[in-house]
Amino acid sequence: MKKWFFFSAVFLSSYLVFLVASAPLLLLTNNVKLPKNVEISGVSGTIWQGEIAKVTINNIDIKDVNSALSFWSFIRLSPAIDISFGDAISSGPEGKFTLTVSSDSLILSNASLFMAANQVASQLPLPIPVNAMGNVELNVAELSVNTDNGLTCRQASGRLTWLRSSVIALDNTIKLGNIGADLSCEKGDFLAKVNPNNNLGLSFTARLLMPSQRATGEGFIKPGSQFPEALKPAMTFIGRADQQGRYQLKF
């Protein structure tokens, strides 16, 4: 009797794994309610090994999205999915990450993202129209989000860097120097804090409020000896300097 029960359990488990492995990825995506700013197209493959031709987020196209579900993580009931997208040849963001799902958390690990700086700038409420040059690189060692009673940021470790940073503004090409931000969690929110050692004298903290997922930001620009001369006329668009010579930034 025990032997019969053992072989029945093995057969049933194997059959369930087969069903999951062969289930079309399209079946899953059709039953997931996406945010209004997200669209997907060209879904193929299975839940085990899937492909999405294009994901559009806020009018930014992410192409050639590939996913692979780890067999052993599925057996452990903590699915880990390796996702990669884009390439060095086509336009649009390029990157990869591993997403691990458990009963009470989502963990993003070994993540990297590389995209044009102007695609990022187009999403920001800037005081003057600019074209951002260079690229933005994001590296995240780990981002852990608690899913109990809404989303809260539990732990984050990573860095955002603007490589070869410069802008075209007021008919001038202006080099900005090194600009980077450290990622962290604070009171359940996700933070990106700009390192103030930059030519702009910029100190700024962007905050993603969770679980509402609303973004806010606050900081200052304090022009110093390294501040680009061509940008000084643009400071009038930001407002008046305070007694410490700082111009407030807020959204």
Side-chain angles (χ1 to χ4, degrees), residues 185-202:
C185 295
E186 183 180 88
K187 297 180 180 179
D189 296 333
F190 179 64
L191 268 62
K193 188 173 183 179
V194 175
N195 188 322
N197 296 322
N198 56 73
N199 292 352
L200 291 176
L202 172 65

Side-chain angles (χ1 to χ4, degrees), residues 15-170:
Y15 181 66
L16 290 175
V17 170
F18 170 77
L19 286 179
V20 173
S22 59
L25 181 61
L26 184 61
L27 180 66
L28 176 63
T29 57
N30 283 343
N31 286 278
V32 174
K33 185 177 181 180
L34 298 172
K36 294 181 179 180
N37 61 333
V38 178
E39 296 180 1
I40 61 176
S41 60
V43 180
S44 60
T46 66
I47 294 176
W48 211 255
Q49 194 87 34
E51 299 86 31
I52 300 176
K54 185 172 69 173
V55 178
T56 302
I57 305 175
N58 290 336
N59 298 318
I60 296 178
D61 291 336
I62 303 172
K63 302 176 182 177
D64 300 326
V65 180
N66 294 277
S67 65
L69 174 62
S70 166
F71 173 79
W72 292 113
S73 69
F74 178 76
I75 295 298
R76 293 193 300 267
L77 302 180
S78 183
I81 308 168
D82 292 324
I83 297 177
S84 63
F85 51 89
D87 57 55
I89 299 176
S90 61
S91 60
E94 174 189 359
K96 62 179 182 178
F97 61 89
T98 298
L99 178 64
T100 304
V101 182
S102 68
S103 60
D104 65 348
S105 67
L106 298 173
I107 300 176
L108 186 75
S109 58
N110 301 320
S112 63
L113 171 67
F114 192 80
M115 64 186 297
N118 204 45
Q119 290 183 315
V120 178
S122 66
Q123 307 295 316
L124 302 177
L126 301 175
I128 59 173
V130 301
N131 287 323
M133 312 297 289
N135 297 289
V136 171
E137 184 176 42
L138 172 66
N139 290 289
V140 178
E142 182 177 325
L143 169 60
S144 177
V145 177
N146 193 329
T147 56
D148 284 343
N149 300 319
L151 301 178
T152 54
C153 188
R154 180 186 295 168
Q155 181 180 352
S157 175
R159 184 165 177 79
L160 179 69
T161 307
W162 185 358
L163 305 171
R164 299 185 297 278
S165 59
S166 63
V167 296
I168 299 176
L170 306 177

